[in-house]
Amino acid sequence: PYTRRVVARVFGNHPDLDTVTPLVLAIKDQISFVAKAAVQSLGKFQLPSTLPFLLEAITDFRPITVRTVDEHHVAMSAINVIIEFQTEESHNIVLNWAIENLQHDTDCIVRFAIEKLEELKDPRAIPYLEQKLNSLDPHSVVPVDHLSRAINIIETHQNENP
């Protein structure tokens, strides 16, 4: 698996249309860190034709089996790649994914979803963030201030950019 991960990374460092198909196949690799490397490399192409394959990856909540700093699941890596497309379509994909995953049962996914909503600064997220804030379990590890900060940042952005 380590060799497959290295190959996926090399393909991403030297983007060539001939490497798209192997990367698409590697997204479905049984080893999650290989899939993550394929997602990240495919993202470097910024090709609209790769978006459907990246969309498949946003539902892959397999834990990354090697320690990573910020992306604990393949889905998180795919969302980070999709947001870099910087199109209205990619914005809406990330927005909808993050809203849906505010209810995920894995805390790191919920925190990541909140961070993505904060990053997008889309006012459509506010009701969902408020709902999450009002329904927090007292024993939740998702900090109230994390949710409040996201709401404040989005509201400030909305007021500054009417």
Side-chain angles (χ1 to χ4, degrees):
Y2 293 100
T3 301
R4 293 195 308 273
R5 178 177 63 174
V6 168
V7 169
R9 286 180 175 169
V10 168
F11 284 173
N13 290 333
H14 305 285
D16 183 281
L17 290 178
D18 291 336
T19 63
V20 170
T21 300
L23 288 171
V24 165
L25 294 172
I27 286 176
K28 296 178 186 213
D29 197 284
Q30 291 180 345
I31 307 297
S32 58
F33 64 78
V34 174
K36 175 187 175 186
V39 163
Q40 291 172 326
S41 290
L42 203 55
K44 292 180 181 180
F45 287 83
Q46 293 288 302
L47 292 172
S49 61
T50 63
L51 199 53
F53 304 105
L54 294 168
L55 283 174
E56 286 182 37
I58 68 173
T59 60
D60 187 345
F61 290 103
R62 290 179 295 159
I64 304 297
T65 53
V66 294
R67 189 165 299 281
T68 60
V69 176
D70 59 347
E71 297 171 341
H72 304 285
H73 299 273
V74 175
M76 295 165 90
S77 188
I79 287 297
N80 280 334
V81 165
I82 291 169
I83 206 168
E84 291 300 317
F85 275 71
Q86 296 183 357
T87 64
E88 184 177 343
E89 180 183 16
S90 65
H91 177 96
N92 288 328
I93 289 167
V94 174
L95 176 70
N96 291 327
W97 181 92
I99 287 170
E100 181 180 318
N101 284 287
L102 285 173
Q103 305 308 321
H104 201 279
D105 52 353
T106 305
D107 289 325
C108 71
I109 296 290
V110 174
R111 287 174 187 248
F112 183 79
I114 294 167
E115 289 169 12
K116 292 300 126 184
L117 292 173
E118 185 178 312
E119 185 178 333
L120 292 174
K121 297 180 178 75
D122 191 315
R124 294 176 289 176
I126 292 174
Y128 300 97
L129 289 164
E130 288 174 338
Q131 178 184 5
K132 180 68 177 176
L133 183 62
N134 294 329
S135 67
L136 270 183
D137 178 331
H139 303 292
S140 174
V141 294
V142 176
V144 171
D145 62 329
H146 197 83
L147 281 160
S148 298
R149 184 185 73 227
I151 293 167
N152 289 336
I153 287 172
I154 295 168
E155 288 176 339
T156 300
H157 179 75
Q158 184 180 16
N159 292 336
E160 292 173 355
N161 305 290

